[in-house]
Amino acid sequence: MLLDGDEWGRYFDSFTQDAWRFEAQPTYTMPSEQENIARFLRGEPKPEQHNAAWHEDVRTYKATGRTIGRVRVVRQPLTEYQRYQFAWGIPGNIAAGEDIRILDVTQEGFALPLTGQDWWMFDDSKLVYLNFRPDGTQINRETFDGDLTPYRKWRRIAVERSVPFEEYVKGLEA
């Protein structure tokens, strides 16, 4: 089943314990972010209310005892989009209460039995694929009704092999 617009919002908000995302694309071409990415690339300051609606959602989830997190796959050098997210997006998401970890797969020969597909897992029992074109434009969101065992395994591996965002960024600065 495809999930769009308000239907996606209701589906997402219905989780009761945890929501977790596997982010594998090097770039996401989201129309709502294009102006801010351009500002970032021009060296302008981050707008004061940048990503405020998502931060409010995360705070609401946390206030009701729910957790939200993700593992972001990266390969050096970071894409312009990843640099934008590292500077303007991820720190605010973490401050709001989201657990964000980085899985750097740059090292030659680094191979993990993980999917290259983006997905959200809700309450360890529901999965939604995020389908993208090669340029990072989202095509759709699609519920998955099959066996979640491999996804639970991939989540465990991704979390075990990744590091907290703050730790990863310190390593970049060293």
Side-chain angles (χ1 to χ4, degrees):
M1 172 175 73
L2 297 180
L3 297 169
D4 292 312
D6 291 340
E7 187 176 8
W8 167 240
R10 285 189 299 275
Y11 189 94
F12 191 103
D13 288 340
S14 71
F15 76 94
T16 60
Q17 296 174 4
D18 72 316
W20 187 85
R21 181 171 175 179
F22 184 75
E23 270 185 330
Q25 308 309 306
T27 298
Y28 295 94
T29 307
M30 307 299 287
S32 63
E33 292 181 323
Q34 295 313 298
E35 180 57 33
N36 280 328
I37 292 170
R39 288 178 179 164
F40 168 76
L41 293 173
R42 290 191 300 261
E44 296 176 15
K46 179 172 77 171
E48 192 170 312
Q49 292 298 312
H50 182 267
N51 218 11
W54 177 248
H55 298 160
E56 184 59 35
D57 288 346
V58 171
R59 284 190 289 274
T60 298
Y61 302 141
K62 297 292 287 183
T64 57
R66 298 179 281 175
T67 62
I68 188 161
R70 67 183 75 206
V71 167
R72 178 79 169 97
V73 176
V74 300
R75 181 179 305 277
Q76 295 289 332
L78 297 177
T79 65
E80 288 180 342
Y81 182 83
Q82 290 167 338
R83 291 188 304 107
Y84 157 73
Q85 281 294 306
F86 276 37
W88 283 22
I90 294 174
N93 294 359
I94 291 171
E98 189 174 355
D99 176 32
I100 301 178
R101 301 176 64 84
I102 305 298
L103 177 61
D104 191 326
V105 297
T106 302
Q107 192 173 33
E108 193 172 328
F110 187 96
L112 289 176
L114 301 173
T115 176
Q117 170 80 47
D118 282 41
W119 42 275
W120 276 101
M121 182 179 286
F122 301 98
D123 298 327
D124 209 33
S125 63
K126 297 186 292 185
L127 191 107
V128 175
Y129 285 136
L130 305 174
N131 298 312
F132 293 91
R133 291 187 180 96
D135 72 351
T137 303
Q138 189 173 63
I139 300 167
N140 59 33
R141 297 172 201 94
E142 175 183 12
T143 59
F144 174 76
D145 296 322
D147 181 11
L148 294 181
T149 303
Y151 296 91
R152 290 181 188 115
K153 179 181 176 183
W154 291 333
R155 176 181 175 170
R156 181 185 52 75
I157 291 168
V159 169
E160 287 173 357
R161 300 281 180 96
S162 62
V163 297
F165 172 76
E166 296 91 343
E167 183 180 327
Y168 184 78
V169 171
K170 285 180 186 171
L172 290 177
E173 296 167 356

